[in-house]
mmCIF file of all heavy atoms in Angstrom:
data_model
loop_
_atom_site.group_PDB
_atom_site.id
_atom_site.type_symbol
_atom_site.label_atom_id
_atom_site.label_comp_id
_atom_site.label_asym_id
_atom_site.label_seq_id
_atom_site.Cartn_x
_atom_site.Cartn_y
_atom_site.Cartn_z
ATOM 1 N N ASP C 101 48.656 63.599 -35.414
ATOM 2 C CA ASP C 101 48.219 62.377 -34.647
ATOM 3 C C ASP C 101 46.835 62.617 -34.050
ATOM 4 O O ASP C 101 45.990 61.720 -34.105
ATOM 5 C CB ASP C 101 49.191 62.056 -33.541
ATOM 6 C CG ASP C 101 50.506 61.443 -34.092
ATOM 7 O OD1 ASP C 101 50.523 61.063 -35.272
ATOM 8 O OD2 ASP C 101 51.496 61.359 -33.315
ATOM 9 N N LEU C 102 46.601 63.791 -33.532
ATOM 10 C CA LEU C 102 45.298 64.139 -32.958
ATOM 11 C C LEU C 102 44.204 64.165 -34.033
ATOM 12 O O LEU C 102 43.107 63.645 -33.826
ATOM 13 C CB LEU C 102 45.369 65.486 -32.251
ATOM 14 C CG LEU C 102 44.027 65.971 -31.668
ATOM 15 C CD1 LEU C 102 43.629 65.173 -30.457
ATOM 16 C CD2 LEU C 102 44.057 67.442 -31.331
ATOM 17 N N ALA C 103 44.539 64.730 -35.162
ATOM 18 C CA ALA C 103 43.567 64.793 -36.287
ATOM 19 C C ALA C 103 43.182 63.368 -36.723
ATOM 20 O O ALA C 103 42.003 63.136 -36.999
ATOM 21 C CB ALA C 103 44.184 65.549 -37.471
ATOM 22 N N LYS C 104 44.168 62.486 -36.751
ATOM 23 C CA LYS C 104 43.870 61.061 -37.135
ATOM 24 C C LYS C 104 42.993 60.471 -36.047
ATOM 25 O O LYS C 104 42.037 59.668 -36.388
ATOM 26 C CB LYS C 104 45.203 60.291 -37.290
ATOM 27 C CG LYS C 104 45.953 60.645 -38.535
ATOM 28 C CD LYS C 104 47.302 59.923 -38.544
ATOM 29 C CE LYS C 104 48.190 60.384 -39.698
ATOM 30 N NZ LYS C 104 49.558 59.876 -39.603
ATOM 31 N N GLN C 105 43.237 60.735 -34.795
ATOM 32 C CA GLN C 105 42.440 60.189 -33.699
ATOM 33 C C GLN C 105 41.002 60.686 -33.750
ATOM 34 O O GLN C 105 40.054 59.909 -33.611
ATOM 35 C CB GLN C 105 43.070 60.599 -32.364
ATOM 36 C CG GLN C 105 42.363 60.023 -31.155
ATOM 37 C CD GLN C 105 42.935 60.576 -29.830
ATOM 38 O OE1 GLN C 105 44.041 61.127 -29.808
ATOM 39 N NE2 GLN C 105 42.168 60.497 -28.787
ATOM 40 N N ILE C 106 40.821 61.984 -34.035
ATOM 41 C CA ILE C 106 39.483 62.577 -34.135
ATOM 42 C C ILE C 106 38.707 61.912 -35.258
ATOM 43 O O ILE C 106 37.547 61.553 -35.109
ATOM 44 C CB ILE C 106 39.558 64.117 -34.320
ATOM 45 C CG1 ILE C 106 40.035 64.738 -32.981
ATOM 46 C CG2 ILE C 106 38.215 64.668 -34.786
ATOM 47 C CD1 ILE C 106 40.387 66.192 -33.042
ATOM 48 N N LYS C 107 39.376 61.705 -36.401
ATOM 49 C CA LYS C 107 38.722 61.051 -37.564
ATOM 50 C C LYS C 107 38.344 59.608 -37.176
ATOM 51 O O LYS C 107 37.229 59.126 -37.478
ATOM 52 C CB LYS C 107 39.697 60.956 -38.731
ATOM 53 C CG LYS C 107 39.674 62.193 -39.662
ATOM 54 C CD LYS C 107 40.489 61.940 -40.908
ATOM 55 C CE LYS C 107 39.763 60.974 -41.803
ATOM 56 N NZ LYS C 107 40.439 60.790 -43.127
ATOM 57 N N ALA C 108 39.231 58.881 -36.516
ATOM 58 C CA ALA C 108 38.997 57.481 -36.162
ATOM 59 C C ALA C 108 37.823 57.343 -35.192
ATOM 60 O O ALA C 108 37.091 56.361 -35.206
ATOM 61 C CB ALA C 108 40.278 56.876 -35.593
ATOM 62 N N GLU C 109 37.693 58.366 -34.285
ATOM 63 C CA GLU C 109 36.600 58.314 -33.308
ATOM 64 C C GLU C 109 35.260 58.732 -33.909
ATOM 65 O O GLU C 109 34.247 58.137 -33.621
ATOM 66 C CB GLU C 109 36.892 59.216 -32.167
ATOM 67 C CG GLU C 109 37.993 58.686 -31.225
ATOM 68 C CD GLU C 109 38.414 59.707 -30.134
ATOM 69 O OE1 GLU C 109 37.886 60.824 -30.124
ATOM 70 O OE2 GLU C 109 39.257 59.341 -29.321
ATOM 71 N N GLN C 110 35.281 59.774 -34.726
ATOM 72 C CA GLN C 110 34.040 60.348 -35.180
ATOM 73 C C GLN C 110 33.445 59.761 -36.413
ATOM 74 O O GLN C 110 32.222 59.788 -36.574
ATOM 75 C CB GLN C 110 34.236 61.888 -35.340
ATOM 76 C CG GLN C 110 34.620 62.569 -34.027
ATOM 77 C CD GLN C 110 34.374 64.065 -34.028
ATOM 78 O OE1 GLN C 110 33.637 64.590 -34.866
ATOM 79 N NE2 GLN C 110 34.993 64.746 -33.100
ATOM 80 N N SER C 111 34.247 59.170 -37.278
ATOM 81 C CA SER C 111 33.710 58.527 -38.482
ATOM 82 C C SER C 111 32.732 57.405 -38.153
ATOM 83 O O SER C 111 31.643 57.387 -38.716
ATOM 84 C CB SER C 111 34.868 57.999 -39.381
ATOM 85 O OG SER C 111 35.670 59.073 -39.844
ATOM 86 N N PRO C 112 33.071 56.471 -37.209
ATOM 87 C CA PRO C 112 32.065 55.418 -36.923
ATOM 88 C C PRO C 112 30.800 56.026 -36.232
ATOM 89 O O PRO C 112 29.718 55.524 -36.420
ATOM 90 C CB PRO C 112 32.805 54.511 -35.906
ATOM 91 C CG PRO C 112 34.223 54.834 -36.033
ATOM 92 C CD PRO C 112 34.322 56.276 -36.485
ATOM 93 N N GLU C 113 30.971 57.122 -35.493
ATOM 94 C CA GLU C 113 29.861 57.741 -34.852
ATOM 95 C C GLU C 113 28.919 58.368 -35.902
ATOM 96 O O GLU C 113 27.662 58.404 -35.672
ATOM 97 C CB GLU C 113 30.284 58.777 -33.830
ATOM 98 C CG GLU C 113 30.901 58.158 -32.564
ATOM 99 C CD GLU C 113 31.400 59.110 -31.510
ATOM 100 O OE1 GLU C 113 31.429 60.317 -31.817
ATOM 101 O OE2 GLU C 113 31.708 58.641 -30.433
ATOM 102 N N ILE C 114 29.477 58.882 -36.953
ATOM 103 C CA ILE C 114 28.676 59.408 -38.086
ATOM 104 C C ILE C 114 27.767 58.328 -38.648
ATOM 105 O O ILE C 114 26.595 58.542 -38.823
ATOM 106 C CB ILE C 114 29.599 60.012 -39.240
ATOM 107 C CG1 ILE C 114 30.215 61.292 -38.730
ATOM 108 C CG2 ILE C 114 28.790 60.226 -40.512
ATOM 109 C CD1 ILE C 114 31.323 61.819 -39.618
ATOM 110 N N ASN C 115 28.362 57.111 -38.814
ATOM 111 C CA ASN C 115 27.565 56.006 -39.358
ATOM 112 C C ASN C 115 26.444 55.634 -38.369
ATOM 113 O O ASN C 115 25.313 55.341 -38.749
ATOM 114 C CB ASN C 115 28.446 54.786 -39.590
ATOM 115 C CG ASN C 115 29.456 55.021 -40.745
ATOM 116 O OD1 ASN C 115 29.180 55.846 -41.600
ATOM 117 N ND2 ASN C 115 30.576 54.395 -40.705
ATOM 118 N N GLN C 116 26.810 55.635 -37.048
ATOM 119 C CA GLN C 116 25.837 55.223 -36.025
ATOM 120 C C GLN C 116 24.656 56.246 -35.937
ATOM 121 O O GLN C 116 23.485 55.870 -35.840
ATOM 122 C CB GLN C 116 26.501 55.130 -34.679
ATOM 123 C CG GLN C 116 25.644 54.652 -33.520
ATOM 124 C CD GLN C 116 25.081 53.267 -33.761
ATOM 125 O OE1 GLN C 116 25.771 52.276 -33.740
ATOM 126 N NE2 GLN C 116 23.772 53.163 -34.078
ATOM 127 N N LEU C 117 24.989 57.537 -36.003
ATOM 128 C CA LEU C 117 23.996 58.561 -35.951
ATOM 129 C C LEU C 117 23.018 58.441 -37.132
ATOM 130 O O LEU C 117 21.795 58.566 -36.976
ATOM 131 C CB LEU C 117 24.616 59.967 -35.927
ATOM 132 C CG LEU C 117 25.398 60.321 -34.660
ATOM 133 C CD1 LEU C 117 26.371 61.460 -34.938
ATOM 134 C CD2 LEU C 117 24.497 60.696 -33.493
ATOM 135 N N THR C 118 23.597 58.170 -38.326
ATOM 136 C CA THR C 118 22.793 58.010 -39.497
ATOM 137 C C THR C 118 21.860 56.808 -39.366
ATOM 138 O O THR C 118 20.668 56.856 -39.731
ATOM 139 C CB THR C 118 23.690 57.793 -40.743
ATOM 140 O OG1 THR C 118 24.598 58.916 -40.802
ATOM 141 C CG2 THR C 118 22.913 57.803 -42.044
ATOM 142 N N THR C 119 22.374 55.686 -38.840
ATOM 143 C CA THR C 119 21.624 54.473 -38.684
ATOM 144 C C THR C 119 20.460 54.708 -37.703
ATOM 145 O O THR C 119 19.338 54.271 -37.944
ATOM 146 C CB THR C 119 22.527 53.375 -38.126
ATOM 147 O OG1 THR C 119 23.575 53.123 -39.072
ATOM 148 C CG2 THR C 119 21.750 52.037 -37.918
ATOM 149 N N TRP C 120 20.721 55.426 -36.639
ATOM 150 C CA TRP C 120 19.674 55.708 -35.663
ATOM 151 C C TRP C 120 18.545 56.509 -36.289
ATOM 152 O O TRP C 120 17.348 56.182 -36.143
ATOM 153 C CB TRP C 120 20.180 56.523 -34.471
ATOM 154 C CG TRP C 120 20.975 55.684 -33.485
ATOM 155 C CD1 TRP C 120 20.914 54.359 -33.273
ATOM 156 C CD2 TRP C 120 21.960 56.208 -32.596
ATOM 157 N NE1 TRP C 120 21.787 53.959 -32.297
ATOM 158 C CE2 TRP C 120 22.431 55.066 -31.845
ATOM 159 C CE3 TRP C 120 22.509 57.433 -32.294
ATOM 160 C CZ2 TRP C 120 23.423 55.181 -30.841
ATOM 161 C CZ3 TRP C 120 23.471 57.572 -31.342
ATOM 162 C CH2 TRP C 120 23.934 56.442 -30.624
ATOM 163 N N LEU C 121 18.868 57.527 -37.008
ATOM 164 C CA LEU C 121 17.879 58.448 -37.605
ATOM 165 C C LEU C 121 17.001 57.663 -38.637
ATOM 166 O O LEU C 121 15.783 57.805 -38.650
ATOM 167 C CB LEU C 121 18.503 59.656 -38.275
ATOM 168 C CG LEU C 121 19.052 60.716 -37.250
ATOM 169 C CD1 LEU C 121 19.955 61.707 -37.993
ATOM 170 C CD2 LEU C 121 17.923 61.418 -36.560
ATOM 171 N N LYS C 122 17.670 56.806 -39.417
ATOM 172 C CA LYS C 122 16.911 56.015 -40.371
ATOM 173 C C LYS C 122 15.996 55.022 -39.644
ATOM 174 O O LYS C 122 14.889 54.796 -40.036
ATOM 175 C CB LYS C 122 17.872 55.277 -41.306
ATOM 176 C CG LYS C 122 18.507 56.194 -42.315
ATOM 177 C CD LYS C 122 19.473 55.473 -43.249
ATOM 178 C CE LYS C 122 20.048 56.476 -44.296
ATOM 179 N NZ LYS C 122 21.125 55.824 -45.087
ATOM 180 N N GLY C 123 16.511 54.440 -38.545
ATOM 181 C CA GLY C 123 15.710 53.468 -37.785
ATOM 182 C C GLY C 123 14.502 54.166 -37.074
ATOM 183 O O GLY C 123 13.497 53.514 -36.858
ATOM 184 N N TRP C 124 14.718 55.420 -36.762
ATOM 185 C CA TRP C 124 13.616 56.189 -36.110
ATOM 186 C C TRP C 124 12.682 56.820 -37.128
ATOM 187 O O TRP C 124 11.733 57.497 -36.805
ATOM 188 C CB TRP C 124 14.160 57.299 -35.231
ATOM 189 C CG TRP C 124 15.016 56.860 -34.058
ATOM 190 C CD1 TRP C 124 14.987 55.625 -33.512
ATOM 191 C CD2 TRP C 124 16.070 57.614 -33.405
ATOM 192 N NE1 TRP C 124 15.956 55.560 -32.458
ATOM 193 C CE2 TRP C 124 16.630 56.761 -32.408
ATOM 194 C CE3 TRP C 124 16.600 58.895 -33.546
ATOM 195 C CZ2 TRP C 124 17.623 57.172 -31.554
ATOM 196 C CZ3 TRP C 124 17.618 59.333 -32.705
ATOM 197 C CH2 TRP C 124 18.108 58.446 -31.700
ATOM 198 N N ASP C 125 13.007 56.561 -38.413
ATOM 199 C CA ASP C 125 12.230 57.145 -39.532
ATOM 200 C C ASP C 125 12.221 58.661 -39.485
ATOM 201 O O ASP C 125 11.216 59.312 -39.687
ATOM 202 C CB ASP C 125 10.770 56.586 -39.491
ATOM 203 C CG ASP C 125 10.088 56.695 -40.858
ATOM 204 O OD1 ASP C 125 10.779 56.778 -41.870
ATOM 205 O OD2 ASP C 125 8.848 56.711 -40.919
ATOM 206 N N GLU C 126 13.424 59.194 -39.195
ATOM 207 C CA GLU C 126 13.600 60.641 -39.149
ATOM 208 C C GLU C 126 14.586 61.051 -40.201
ATOM 209 O O GLU C 126 15.483 60.273 -40.579
ATOM 210 C CB GLU C 126 14.136 61.052 -37.788
ATOM 211 C CG GLU C 126 13.209 60.755 -36.585
ATOM 212 C CD GLU C 126 12.066 61.764 -36.484
ATOM 213 O OE1 GLU C 126 12.035 62.744 -37.246
ATOM 214 O OE2 GLU C 126 11.173 61.535 -35.631
ATOM 215 N N PRO C 127 14.466 62.265 -40.770
ATOM 216 C CA PRO C 127 15.442 62.749 -41.745
ATOM 217 C C PRO C 127 16.817 62.933 -41.150
ATOM 218 O O PRO C 127 16.935 63.279 -39.927
ATOM 219 C CB PRO C 127 14.861 64.068 -42.246
ATOM 220 C CG PRO C 127 13.958 64.504 -41.142
ATOM 221 C CD PRO C 127 13.416 63.290 -40.463
ATOM 222 N N THR C 128 17.863 62.704 -41.928
ATOM 223 C CA THR C 128 19.211 62.898 -41.382
ATOM 224 C C THR C 128 19.602 64.374 -41.382
ATOM 225 O O THR C 128 20.580 64.727 -40.767
ATOM 226 C CB THR C 128 20.272 62.145 -42.246
ATOM 227 O OG1 THR C 128 20.110 62.483 -43.615
ATOM 228 C CG2 THR C 128 20.077 60.643 -42.073
ATOM 229 N N GLU C 129 18.771 65.189 -42.039
ATOM 230 C CA GLU C 129 18.993 66.629 -41.961
ATOM 231 C C GLU C 129 17.693 67.298 -41.475
ATOM 232 O O GLU C 129 16.615 66.823 -41.762
ATOM 233 C CB GLU C 129 19.390 67.209 -43.315
ATOM 234 C CG GLU C 129 20.763 66.846 -43.743
ATOM 235 C CD GLU C 129 21.186 67.576 -45.000
ATOM 236 O OE1 GLU C 129 20.527 68.515 -45.391
ATOM 237 O OE2 GLU C 129 22.178 67.119 -45.636
ATOM 238 N N SER C 130 17.828 68.383 -40.750
ATOM 239 C CA SER C 130 16.674 69.086 -40.287
ATOM 240 C C SER C 130 16.955 70.575 -40.368
ATOM 241 O O SER C 130 17.987 70.993 -40.807
ATOM 242 C CB SER C 130 16.382 68.726 -38.815
ATOM 243 O OG SER C 130 17.303 69.310 -37.983
#
Side-chain angles (χ1 to χ4, degrees):
D101 286 346
L102 177 72
K104 287 174 187 172
Q105 183 187 341
I106 288 170
K107 274 190 70 176
E109 287 174 358
Q110 298 199 19
S111 296
E113 289 180 350
I114 288 169
N115 293 334
Q116 184 61 72
L117 291 161
T118 306
T119 302
W120 284 337
L121 287 167
K122 287 181 178 173
W124 298 336
D125 201 22
E126 296 283 354
T128 54
E129 287 188 16
S130 74

